[in-house]
Amino acid sequence: MEYPGKGAAVNRLLINRRYWIVPVLLWTVLVGGSYLWNIDSLDRHVEEQVLRQSRFVFQMMESARLWNARHGGVYGLMDAETPANPYLEVLERDLVTPLGKRLTLLNPAYMSRQLARILDERMGVHVHLTSLAPLNPGNKALVWEAEALLRLARGQREFIEIHETSTVPLVRYMAPLFVEQPCLECHRKQGYREGDMRGGIGVSFPLDQVMPGIARQQANIGIVHLATWLILCLLTLSFLDAQRRRVLALQRTMDEQERIVQDRTAALRKEVDERQAAEARMRLLLNSSGEGIIGLDAAGHCTFCNPMALELLGYRDKGGVVGRSFHALVQAQDGLGGADRQHWLRIEAWRAGEPVHQEDAVFRRGDGSDLAVEFRIHPMLADGVVQGAVVSFADISERKEAQERIWRQANYDPLTGLPNRQLLFDRLEQAIAQARRLKDRLSVLFIDLDRFKQVNDQYGHELGDRLLQEVATRMSSCMRSMDTLARLGGDEFIMLLQGHNDPQGAERVAEKIIACLSTPFLIDGHALQIGASVGIAYFPDHAQTAAELVRHADRAMYEVKEAGRNTYRVYQPQ
């Protein structure tokens, strides 16, 4: 017997299990979409990391080549690993020192190949200087490099791809090399002019060097989504099954009036048992989750937490969590606390039925320490009214540490701990923008160490590196906290002084640096005597851009070198 009207149609849908595929398909679409979105987000993150790493290697190689070209090449000892370059046609290619040592000239291309071999041996990064028309046949472009060069020649700024291999994915990157004035010494006979693209530098390395554990992250995403899909399908099918049983029981009750009480009681008892079993299974799944999960009531108080939540928040039992407000439980000064009321109001949007997702937040642990997390708040609605919410969160401390480590590697000199060229120019451009806005003045000091090469050659690179570290420490004591000291490379440093409206202020700093470095350095029992030649340029008097300001300070420093060293000079436009 069936109920009339709409109820009969609903009963037919519940009784016929073929229609139950509809909600299963719906959950499949929703969970599958979430899975694809998470995988795509992970892929974008990987692409950003490999592009940043590839650019860093290219910029390092390009800087070394430009330094070599500006110095007209450098001489190195001729041996089996460094033979004379047969493709370098210059008069003084090979020399013999008074002590009988044979030297050969290393032009930018030769030095780049030497550096590339070291990068390959030490870091597994393969760097290849190449061109569509190379002088050296060893620089002939590979198939993918030839394709990348053609794209760069058509105006593409850079080329990058992740090539799948039988072992691990391989990152391939190439950026163009353009002819500059120092480069014409070697490339004029090929018909190049200044500004022409003469080739590129190809960089390739295994993907797992930059982003280890990608496969494990993808697998974790798949496992979480599969578990979610199974839970949703299980709950849905359990609910439908319970409703089907209920309908059948009611139909039997209408046919058998005498058994109505017994059948109804048995059906309700079975329904309660099934719901309790479903709740038990749900709790088991929640307790087995790799993420912290907290349940909230409509007032924002914690009603449930799984073991992972207790572990991440540093509590021994649920008594430290259940019953407390979510705000008081996880607030942190730089995350969810009262110091950022607007941020907390955005999180409280779940009370209006809106889901909340924060990729980078800070929770407070039970011992008062901070915990970096990514969390989501899913409101629970009944008839359009918010009944509570479910908070899921995961520890992202390792991810943040990896991001910080990569950022420091890209922006700081590993030897001295000072900002490198990239970070210097970023700060210099910001300082120029601020000075232009405030009609202020700033100064750039280009500092080159005198007699450092002799110390390095006499006592070795290890002692030379320690000397550079001591030099960085002394020069840092000569400036204010608002100023910046950076190492360009070798024995060259840049100091950025802000707020010196008096030109003599920068000159006093230069005198202080020269006096500070003139005091001998005592390292491993050796008293090392060096000096410093300093060039000074002012904004806006001498330049309007960061590159011009550094270049003019460099010019003034070279004038000091030519005039006798160990002093300073202000840039003179004439």
Side-chain angles (χ1 to χ4, degrees):
M1 186 176 193
E2 296 182 352
Y3 298 105
K6 295 181 179 180
V10 173
N11 289 340
R12 284 194 296 270
L13 293 176
L14 289 173
I15 293 173
N16 193 339
R17 290 189 176 93
R18 291 181 300 177
Y19 297 106
W20 293 6
I21 192 65
V22 175
V24 174
L25 292 176
L26 178 61
W27 289 130
T28 302
V29 172
L30 293 177
V31 176
S34 174
Y35 170 77
L36 294 176
W37 182 85
N38 278 273
I39 290 296
D40 183 65
S41 298
L42 180 61
D43 291 341
R44 289 197 303 271
H45 177 65
V46 171
E47 291 173 0
E48 292 173 359
Q49 295 298 322
V50 300
L51 181 59
R52 186 179 297 111
Q53 183 74 6
S54 301
R55 285 176 176 168
F56 172 75
V57 175
F58 170 81
Q59 292 169 0
M60 177 185 67
M61 295 296 297
E62 187 181 39
S63 299
R65 288 174 52 80
L66 183 58
W67 174 86
N68 186 299
R70 287 181 176 177
H71 289 76
V74 296
Y75 284 94
L77 288 175
M78 187 187 305
D79 56 20
E81 292 186 359
T82 310
N85 186 355
Y87 305 98
L88 183 62
E89 299 178 0
V90 297
L91 182 60
E92 296 180 336
R93 186 192 69 182
D94 302 325
L95 299 175
V96 179
T97 68
L99 297 179
K101 294 183 179 180
R102 300 180 62 195
L103 305 179
T104 186
L105 184 63
L106 307 179
N107 65 341
Y110 200 168
M111 188 180 73
S112 297
R113 288 193 296 273
Q114 297 275 347
L115 292 175
R117 186 161 58 246
I118 295 175
L119 285 175
D120 198 4
E121 294 172 354
R122 295 294 181 86
M123 301 174 59
V125 178
H126 180 67
V127 179
H128 187 210
L129 176 68
T130 186
S131 169
L132 292 176
L135 283 174
N136 186 344
N139 294 339
K140 182 180 178 181
L142 302 176
V143 174
W144 75 269
E145 292 174 335
E147 178 185 351
L149 287 170
L150 291 175
R151 293 188 184 183
L152 297 177
R154 290 194 292 267
Q156 185 172 323
R157 292 181 58 187
E158 57 188 358
F159 171 89
I160 188 168
E161 68 175 4
I162 298 178
H163 177 66
E164 297 292 337
T165 66
S166 59
T167 54
V168 296
L170 189 65
V171 177
R172 291 175 172 176
Y173 173 86
M174 177 170 287
L177 291 174
F178 296 97
V179 176
E180 299 187 31
Q181 183 61 37
C183 305
L184 294 175
E185 181 69 23
C186 296
H187 293 281
R188 182 180 286 108
K189 68 179 182 178
Q190 292 180 277
Y192 286 120
R193 293 176 298 177
E194 186 174 357
D196 290 347
M197 190 188 98
R198 69 176 185 273
I201 294 179
V203 180
S204 60
F205 51 86
L207 178 61
D208 58 2
Q209 287 191 1
V210 180
M211 297 293 292
I214 294 299
R216 184 173 63 255
Q217 295 183 45
Q218 293 175 336
N220 290 340
I221 292 173
I223 291 172
V224 170
H225 282 79
L226 178 59
T228 303
W229 179 81
L230 290 174
I231 293 171
L232 293 173
C233 290
L234 179 61
L235 292 176
T236 301
L237 294 177
S238 298
F239 173 78
L240 293 176
D241 183 68
Q243 296 303 313
R244 180 177 183 273
R245 293 173 183 272
R246 181 179 180 183
V247 169
L248 293 175
L250 289 174
Q251 289 177 349
R252 287 193 302 270
T253 302
M254 296 294 293
D255 294 334
E256 301 179 19
Q257 194 68 30
E258 292 295 330
R259 301 173 56 189
I260 186 169
V261 175
Q262 295 179 358
D263 291 347
R264 180 62 175 164
T265 302
L268 290 176
R269 185 181 297 113
K270 192 170 186 177
E271 182 181 349
V272 170
D273 292 341
E274 290 174 351
R275 289 184 177 178
Q276 290 177 346
E279 290 177 359
R281 289 193 294 269
M282 171 65 77
R283 289 185 179 275
L284 178 61
L285 291 171
L286 291 177
N287 291 339
S288 302
S289 174
E291 292 185 339
I293 300 176
I294 296 176
L296 306 179
D297 60 17
H301 292 88
C302 301
T303 59
F304 167 80
C305 66
N306 69 346
M308 182 55 68
L310 290 176
E311 180 181 343
L312 291 177
L313 294 176
Y315 291 95
R316 293 184 178 180
D317 53 55
K318 296 181 180 180
V321 177
V322 175
R324 300 180 59 187
S325 72
F326 178 65
H327 188 181
L329 180 67
V330 301
Q331 68 174 349
Q333 293 182 356
D334 55 347
L336 305 178
D340 190 356
R341 178 173 176 80
Q342 293 299 321
H343 182 67
W344 178 254
L345 291 177
R346 289 194 297 272
I347 293 174
E348 289 285 274
W350 71 268
R351 297 182 182 272
E354 299 178 9
V356 178
H357 178 209
Q358 289 289 324
E359 294 184 351
D360 188 1
V362 179
F363 282 2
R364 175 178 295 167
R365 292 169 54 88
D367 59 3
S369 62
D370 291 339
L371 174 68
V373 298
E374 177 181 2
F375 74 93
R376 299 174 186 271
I377 303 180
H378 303 276
M380 298 184 296
L381 303 176
D383 298 328
V385 179
V386 177
Q387 302 296 321
V390 175
V391 182
S392 61
F393 60 97
D395 185 358
I396 61 171
S397 302
E398 292 183 2
R399 186 176 76 191
K400 291 178 67 66
E401 291 174 0
Q403 292 172 347
E404 175 67 17
R405 184 166 57 254
I406 292 173
W407 183 85
R408 289 198 63 85
Q409 290 174 351
N411 291 276
Y412 283 85
D413 174 48
L415 177 63
T416 62
L418 297 176
N420 61 12
R421 176 185 294 270
Q422 177 175 311
L423 184 56
L424 166 69
F425 275 83
D426 181 70
R427 292 185 179 178
L428 184 54
E429 289 173 355
Q430 294 181 19
I432 289 176
Q434 180 180 3
R436 185 178 288 115
R437 185 172 59 254
L438 301 178
K439 300 186 185 313
D440 203 352
R441 177 196 299 270
L442 60 86
S443 310
V444 167
L445 280 64
F446 198 110
I447 306 161
D448 187 90
L449 303 182
D450 298 330
R451 295 182 298 277
F452 172 78
K453 185 178 184 302
Q454 293 89 322
V455 173
N456 205 36
D457 291 342
Q458 182 177 356
Y459 298 102
H461 295 292
E462 181 178 356
L463 188 140
D465 289 345
R466 293 177 60 187
L467 176 58
L468 289 175
Q469 293 171 342
E470 293 292 332
V471 167
T473 301
R474 285 195 187 181
M475 287 197 293
S476 298
S477 66
C478 298
M479 66 181 191
R480 303 165 300 176
S481 60
M482 64 183 295
D483 301 326
T484 298
L485 176 63
R487 183 189 178 205
L488 293 187
D491 59 350
E492 293 181 338
F493 297 82
I494 290 286
M495 184 175 289
L496 167 61
L497 306 178
Q498 296 180 252
H500 277 286
N501 287 316
D502 177 14
Q504 282 70 37
E507 297 179 25
R508 288 193 295 271
V509 173
E511 293 173 349
K512 189 175 181 180
I513 291 172
I514 294 170
C516 180
L517 297 183
S518 296
T519 303
F521 293 80
L522 184 60
I523 301 177
D524 290 345
H526 300 289
L528 308 178
Q529 183 73 48
I530 62 171
S533 298
V534 183
I536 306 175
Y538 301 113
F539 172 89
D541 309 68
H542 300 147
Q544 297 296 316
T545 67
E548 290 179 342
L549 201 58
V550 171
R551 186 166 59 251
H552 291 168
D554 185 20
R555 179 70 60 82
M557 182 275 294
Y558 271 104
E559 292 178 359
V560 173
K561 289 283 190 180
E562 295 174 356
R565 304 184 179 185
N566 206 39
T567 185
Y568 70 91
R569 179 166 296 182
V570 179
Y571 172 75
Q572 299 295 331
Q574 65 273 20

